[in-house]
């Protein structure tokens, strides 16, 4: 076991009784593989059933007891002849699984309106087998809630991966287009299995060369592989491409020759990749070029690209992650910049907004932009890769974080209008929408570095398909598919995963504290200039005042949230110091004062890691030795880092609170000076 198969681990069903039943219920397969996607259906089913049932599956057209019939009304006579009412109930690339008697024979149908729907149905059936569910009386209908279910790679041309932590980029440019790495196909399979239908393959800090003819040649090979799994390629583009690639004096979106340049470029792209998805753009952000240099706003900038893509049905995904170093509250910025542009973007532009208003912090309230752009297509951007959360060293299952944002009510309308409902297009009349996540798979054998990063990737896909799924159920699926159906393994890993977010937040940035990490974003540095500007610790208290007496970022939320966050008593304590600057003796709900509560949280975070470690070690006999040893070692590192975070922060803040660390807690191992010093080692990840 090395983790390569991820959740597509098709090992023989361990429950003998179920195995026999499955073998009877899935005796032969009837399908027509006359399209590339139906061909993928056939291959996956063959691989899945051969592995799970440990027998060679028979393909044929004999309708007998235990037959599995797959297809759409167009490519399957059997599906068409049943006149299934389910077909009118599914939308998009949804599917249904149904057990039906035909001429006395019990048959399993996997059917959809599109070939891709059938592929998703196959993965759903295989998931049932992998998780050992009964399939004797199937009646499942499922349709995706999000239109775009996307992932973003932050991969560079030199194969480095920004915030990747799992080896080199998967895309081996020097060997493309001639050599096709098996990983491309396995990656596409894993993506399709969780419903992903779009991929931006390169870093948002984009190298312009990705859209040169040489690269498009290589990219078109990837596009073909992904197409077989229903996945469209998007490219991140550099806004100054005409300047960089063709020595233009300007990239002004209103300049006719610039417009023409993009029109021609888009034409070339579609000739090579007819189903190209569109452009992802980071403009006027962190040094990236954009329309602002020419006095044009973001809508003007985006629309120019959108016009070029429009004839082909292409999209512009325009990122809202903007801030300058001068404004006094960075949290306000995306909203202040974009709200006045609502309604000004073309129909094929989607504004891509990070889940929170700052930057993928361990915990943020949702971005108020989600409730403030009724006339602009929106999509959300999550981060699966653990940039601020221990890279590929710490165990974390992010589904509860994703759900916290998705389930948040924006109060954009009187009736419920959660972030997820807005993205599902049921609140406003959006033309396009969806969910995306920055993921990190690379050349590391297990793809993601820490095996559990896969769980967040998996959960993201499942939630993009259906955000109503419970984190717990998704975790259970993932564990069964990736590790084992053994009850002890399932319950123990679930327990570990469920506590992981609380641990990660508590030992880093509890109670709404934020951005107090080192420059590498790995370790703690509450003493740094940037951190101080976020936590605002002083003798009189802690936290950032975003109420009307401070930056007034609370006003960006719809009523009643704006007034709820304005007052300390109605602000959830998990966001308390995000919105308020409070005295050290402020009384918390627990009865503790702020200082005691803060210290308690930090210590609790570390205790949870210890507990996770204990629980994991109880699985020694149940988990394969490779993955057991790997995760055990990583948990040791996590505990080391958690203590470093706790002790650095507690000792640092103590200088301001002037209060003692309650006696019941262990004394930090080192003095504050020590923790400050290790920050300045060249790479704070390889300390100790
Ligand atoms: C920040 C990352 C940086 C990204 C940026 C972005 O540190 O590497 O380029 O976000 O999302 O969190 O553009």
């Amino acid at each position: 076991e090395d983790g390569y198969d991820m959740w597509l681990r098709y090992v023989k069903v361990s429950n003998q009784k179920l195995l026999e039943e499955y073998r009877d219920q899935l005796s032969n397969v009837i399908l027509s593989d006359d399209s590339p996607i139906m061909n993928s259906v056939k291959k996956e089913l063959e691989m899945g059933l051969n592995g799970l049932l440990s027998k060679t599956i028979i393909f044929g057209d004999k309708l007998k007891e235990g037959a599995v019939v797959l297809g759409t009304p167009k490519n399957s006579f059997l599906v068409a002849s049943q006149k299934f009412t389910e077909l009118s109930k599914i939308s998009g690339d949804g599917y249904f699984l149904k057990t039906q008697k035909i001429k006395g024979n019990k048959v399993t149908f996997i059917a959809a309106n599109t070939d891709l729907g059938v592929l998703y149905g196959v993965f759903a059936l295989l998931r049932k087998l992998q998780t050992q569910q009964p399939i004797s009386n199937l009646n499942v209908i499922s349709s995706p809630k999000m239109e775009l279910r996307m992932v973003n790679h932050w991969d560079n041309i030199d194969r480095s991966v920004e915030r990747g932590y799992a080896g080199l980029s998967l895309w081996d440019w020097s060997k493309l287009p001639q050599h096709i790495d098996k990983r491309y196909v396995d990656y596409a399979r894993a993506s399709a299995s969780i419903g992903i239908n779009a991929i931006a393959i390169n870093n948002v800090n984009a190298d312009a060369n990705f859209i040169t003819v040489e690269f498009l040649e290589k990219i078109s090979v990837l596009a073909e592989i992904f197409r077989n799994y229903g996945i469209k390629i998007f490219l991140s583009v550099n806004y100054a491409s005409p300047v960089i690639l063709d020595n233009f004096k300007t990239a002004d979106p209103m300049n006719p020759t610039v417009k023409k340049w993009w029109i021609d470029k888009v034409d070339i792209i579609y000739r090579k990749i007819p189903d190209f998805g569109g452009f992802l753009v980071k403009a006027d952000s962190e040094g990236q070029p954009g329309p602002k240099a020419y006095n044009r706003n973001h809508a003007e900038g985006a629309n120019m690209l959108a016009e070029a893509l429009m004839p082909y049905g292409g999209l512009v995904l325009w990122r809202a992650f903007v801030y300058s170093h001068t404004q006094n509250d960075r949290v306000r910025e995306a909203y202040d910049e974009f709200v006045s542009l609502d309604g000004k973007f073309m129909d094929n532009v989607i504004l891509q907004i990070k889940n929170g208003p700052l930057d993928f912090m361990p915990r943020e309230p949702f971005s108020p932009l989600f409730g403030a752009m009724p006339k602009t297509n929106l999509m959300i951007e999550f981060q699966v890769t653990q940039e601020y959360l221990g890279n590929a060293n710490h165990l974390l299952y992010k589904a509860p974080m994703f759900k916290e944002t998705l389930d948040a009510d924006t109060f954009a309308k009187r009736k419920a209008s959660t972030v997820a409902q807005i993205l599902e297009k049921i609140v406003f009349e959006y033309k396009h929408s969806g969910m995306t996540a920055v993921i990190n798979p690379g050349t590391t054998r297990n793809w993601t570095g820490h095996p559990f990063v896969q769980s967040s990737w998996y959960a993201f896909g499942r939630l993009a398909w259906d955000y109503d799924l419970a984190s717990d159920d998704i975790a259970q699926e993932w564990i069964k598919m990736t590790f084992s159906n053994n009850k002890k393994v399932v319950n123990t890993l679930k327990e570990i995963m469920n506590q992981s977010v609380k641990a990660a937040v508590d030992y880093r940035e509890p109670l709404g504290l934020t951005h107090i990490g080192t420059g590498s974003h790995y370790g703690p540095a509450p003493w740094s200039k940037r951190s101080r500007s976020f936590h605002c610790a002083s003798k009189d208290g802690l936290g950032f005042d975003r109420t009307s007496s401070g930056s007034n970022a609370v006003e960006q939320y719809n009523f009643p949230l704006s007034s709820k966050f304005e007052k300390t008593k109605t602000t959830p304590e998990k966001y308390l110091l995000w919105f308020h600057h409070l005295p050290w003796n402020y009384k918390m709900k627990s009865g503790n004062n702020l200082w005691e509560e803060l210290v308690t949280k930090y210590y609790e975070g570390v205790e949870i890691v210890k507990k996770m470690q204990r629980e994991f070690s109880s699985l020694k006999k149940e988990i394969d030795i490779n993955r057991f040893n790997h995760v055990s070692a990583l948990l040791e590192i996590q505990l080391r880092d958690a203590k470093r975070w706790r002790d650095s922060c507690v000792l640092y803040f103590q200088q301001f609170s002037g209060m003692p660390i309650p006696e019941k807690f262990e004394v930090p191992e080192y003095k504050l000076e020590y923790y400050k010093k290790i920050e300045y080692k060249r790479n704070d990840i390889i300390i100790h």
Side-chain angles (χ1 to χ4, degrees):
E1 296 278 2
D2 55 15
Y4 181 87
D5 292 334
M6 299 201 278
W7 51 85
L8 298 181
R9 202 167 139 272
Y10 298 143
V11 296
K12 187 171 157 189
V13 173
S14 57
N15 178 323
Q16 192 59 32
K17 191 167 158 281
L18 263 179
L19 177 64
E20 298 302 330
E21 281 175 29
Y22 289 160
R23 283 177 172 164
D24 293 343
Q25 287 152 348
L26 307 166
S27 62
N28 73 323
V29 173
I30 304 174
L31 59 76
S32 125
D33 58 344
D34 58 356
S35 77
I37 293 187
M38 286 304 291
N39 195 263
S40 304
V41 165
K42 183 173 180 193
K43 282 200 262 182
E44 198 65 35
L45 206 58
E46 198 164 13
M47 208 182 319
L49 294 185
N50 286 356
L52 287 156
L53 306 188
S54 184
K55 69 168 203 183
T56 310
I57 210 76
I58 302 160
F59 287 87
D61 50 15
K62 200 150 173 259
L63 194 65
K64 54 175 189 177
E65 180 77 13
V68 188
V69 178
L70 297 105
T72 66
K74 274 191 226 95
N75 68 23
S76 163
F77 166 73
L78 284 168
V79 170
S81 66
Q82 296 303 304
K83 307 231 175 328
F84 285 114
T85 53
E86 284 82 357
L87 287 169
S88 60
K89 292 188 196 136
I90 52 187
S91 60
D93 295 309
Y95 60 84
F96 71 87
L97 311 177
K98 191 169 186 185
T99 312
Q100 179 126 327
K101 278 235 158 159
I102 303 186
K103 294 189 189 136
N105 295 314
K106 222 174 173 191
V107 173
T108 302
F109 278 92
I110 303 179
N113 292 314
T114 63
D115 291 0
L116 184 55
V118 181
L119 181 63
Y120 291 150
V122 166
F123 283 116
L125 180 81
L126 293 173
R127 187 157 59 233
K128 288 218 175 284
L129 268 48
Q130 286 178 280
T131 56
Q132 307 197 349
Q133 306 297 307
I135 58 161
S136 57
N137 204 5
L138 288 173
N139 193 8
V140 177
I141 305 183
S142 185
S143 300
K145 291 203 168 125
M146 299 289 159
E147 172 195 340
L148 270 179
R149 305 177 298 278
M150 185 163 184
V151 289
N152 292 179
H153 289 255
W154 283 356
D155 293 17
N156 298 317
I157 269 181
D158 64 2
R159 295 191 78 192
S160 59
V161 181
E162 184 153 335
R163 317 297 179 189
Y165 327 110
L168 297 177
S169 164
L170 293 173
W171 329 126
D172 192 351
W173 300 119
S174 77
K175 298 192 187 60
L176 279 165
Q178 289 86 356
H179 175 66
I180 297 180
D181 193 320
K182 178 176 179 293
R183 282 210 179 219
Y184 304 153
V185 180
D186 288 334
Y187 167 82
R189 291 175 49 233
S191 305
S193 75
I194 50 174
I196 298 298
N197 62 1
I199 299 178
I201 58 169
N202 61 318
N203 193 353
V204 286
N205 299 316
D207 190 317
N209 288 294
F210 277 105
I211 50 172
T212 56
V213 173
E214 291 84 341
F215 264 89
L216 291 171
E217 209 64 63
K218 299 169 192 284
I219 294 166
S220 67
V221 173
L222 294 179
E224 191 177 330
I225 296 167
F226 296 167
R227 186 175 303 130
N228 298 341
Y229 289 87
I231 301 161
K232 279 188 179 180
I233 281 202
F234 284 68
L235 288 173
S236 299
V237 291
N238 186 304
Y239 205 78
S241 293
V243 177
I244 298 167
L245 297 176
D246 281 326
N247 292 322
F248 274 41
K249 294 235 154 39
T250 175
D252 180 355
M254 295 298 166
N255 180 307
T257 52
V258 171
K259 284 188 188 188
K260 169 91 173 41
W261 189 91
W262 282 105
I263 288 171
D264 293 345
K265 181 54 79 186
V266 166
D267 185 57
I268 294 169
I269 296 176
Y270 276 91
R271 270 171 219 241
K272 299 248 179 267
I273 310 170
D275 58 347
F276 180 64
F279 295 143
L280 170 60
V281 195
K282 171 175 177 177
D284 290 315
S285 160
E286 298 186 327
Q288 293 302 310
K292 288 277 175 104
Y294 312 100
N295 258 328
R296 315 292 182 194
N297 64 33
H298 284 279
E300 291 164 327
N303 289 346
M304 183 270 290
L305 297 175
E307 256 171 54
L309 287 158
M310 184 65 109
Y312 309 87
L315 301 173
V316 175
L317 313 179
W318 192 266
R319 295 178 89 232
F321 179 65
V322 296
Y323 63 95
S324 74
H325 290 284
T326 49
Q327 206 180 358
N328 63 11
D329 183 7
R330 195 177 135 184
V331 159
R332 287 196 60 113
E333 297 206 25
Y335 182 102
D336 287 345
E337 183 80 42
F338 283 97
V339 161
S340 63
L341 298 176
D342 188 30
K344 304 244 160 63
F345 291 92
M346 281 173 58
D347 264 1
N348 60 331
V349 178
I350 310 181
L351 196 62
Q352 182 169 311
I353 306 167
K354 289 190 183 183
N355 57 290
L358 186 52
D359 184 9
F360 296 142
M361 295 292 115
R363 170 167 273 140
E364 295 186 42
F366 71 88
S367 164
L369 270 173
F370 290 112
M373 304 291 280
K375 290 186 250 135
T376 305
N377 301 322
L378 301 184
M379 66 192 282
I380 198 167
E381 179 178 323
F382 285 113
Q383 201 179 41
V384 162
T385 191
Q386 297 176 184
E387 175 181 354
Y388 293 95
L389 287 151
N391 300 173
N393 289 358
H394 294 190
L395 190 159
L396 190 63
Y397 170 57
K398 287 196 178 183
M401 294 172 61
F402 302 155
K403 295 269 295 182
E404 186 171 315
T405 307
L406 292 168
D407 294 344
D409 197 344
T410 64
F411 293 95
K413 290 231 171 129
R414 213 161 279 215
K415 61 179 170 65
S417 32
T418 63
V419 171
Q421 288 165 332
I422 286 169
L423 298 171
E424 197 191 350
K425 301 194 267 206
I426 56 179
V427 178
F428 304 126
E429 281 171 31
Y430 290 163
K431 186 91 196 287
H432 299 286
S433 183
M435 278 170 57
T436 196
V438 181
I439 58 169
N440 78 329
T443 50
T444 299
R445 183 66 191 157
N446 73 8
W447 303 84
T448 51
H450 198 303
F452 280 72
V453 175
Q454 291 171 20
S455 68
S456 304
W457 179 8
Y458 179 83
F460 167 77
R462 299 286 287 133
L463 288 171
W465 184 276
D466 182 1
Y467 57 78
D468 281 327
L469 293 173
S471 307
D472 211 53
D473 293 341
I474 302 174
Q476 173 149 320
E477 267 177 25
W478 179 80
I479 297 164
K480 287 183 170 182
M481 295 165 85
T482 310
F483 281 96
S484 157
N485 275 270
N486 172 313
K487 270 213 179 85
K488 183 173 168 199
V489 175
V490 173
N491 292 338
T492 311
L493 290 185
K494 216 161 54 168
E495 173 74 12
I496 292 172
M497 288 159 79
N498 281 340
Q499 305 162 75
S500 63
V501 170
K502 180 168 163 47
V505 172
D506 283 356
Y507 65 68
R508 276 190 189 82
E509 298 171 346
L511 301 174
L513 286 176
T514 204
H515 227 330
I516 53 181
T518 51
S520 71
H521 300 171
Y522 186 80
W527 44 80
S528 75
K529 187 162 173 249
R530 180 178 61 200
S531 300
R532 282 185 280 127
S533 73
F534 280 98
H535 62 61
C536 307
S538 65
K539 295 262 184 241
D540 68 3
L542 182 65
F544 197 115
D545 185 2
R546 297 196 163 94
T547 67
S548 53
S549 57
S551 76
N552 206 13
V554 294
E555 70 173 348
Q556 299 179 333
Y557 288 90
N558 293 317
F559 182 83
L561 283 181
S562 46
S563 63
K564 205 171 150 194
F565 294 151
E566 168 78 14
K567 296 189 271 299
T568 51
K569 290 289 171 234
T570 47
T571 303
E573 287 193 344
K574 60 184 175 187
Y575 304 138
L576 197 62
L577 303 174
W578 179 280
F579 289 114
H580 302 277
H581 184 82
L582 297 172
W584 293 105
N585 61 7
Y586 174 83
K587 265 266 168 297
M588 304 290 293
K589 293 203 173 91
S590 63
N592 283 337
N593 66 31
L594 175 62
W595 164 249
E596 290 157 351
E597 186 81 356
L598 186 76
V599 175
T600 304
K601 291 274 174 214
Y602 272 112
Y603 276 81
E604 268 172 16
V606 172
E607 287 313 306
I608 299 173
V609 179
K610 288 185 189 160
K611 187 158 163 270
M612 286 159 62
Q613 218 180 9
R614 278 197 304 275
E615 286 167 352
F616 191 77
S617 66
S618 77
L619 298 177
K620 184 156 190 177
K621 293 210 182 69
E622 282 81 15
I623 288 185
D624 53 282
I625 193 71
N626 284 337
R627 290 189 292 177
F628 179 82
N629 285 343
H630 187 200
V631 175
S632 302
L634 293 173
L635 280 166
E636 246 173 70
I637 296 170
Q638 185 166 357
L639 181 60
R640 174 201 74 189
D641 295 339
K643 284 185 184 161
R644 176 181 163 206
W645 269 91
R646 176 194 73 189
D647 295 349
S648 302
C649 295
V650 165
L651 290 172
Y652 175 79
F653 291 131
Q654 189 179 29
Q655 304 176 104
F656 301 97
S657 79
M659 291 187 238
I661 297 171
E663 257 176 29
K664 58 182 172 191
F665 297 127
E666 64 184 350
V667 180
E669 203 176 345
Y670 302 99
K671 298 263 171 290
L672 181 60
E673 285 321 301
Y674 169 84
Y675 295 105
K676 282 190 178 171
K677 228 187 277 153
I678 56 180
E679 186 207 346
Y680 293 109
K681 294 244 167 104
R682 280 209 17 226
N683 187 340
D684 75 297
I685 299 172
I686 43 178
I687 47 121
H688 291 297

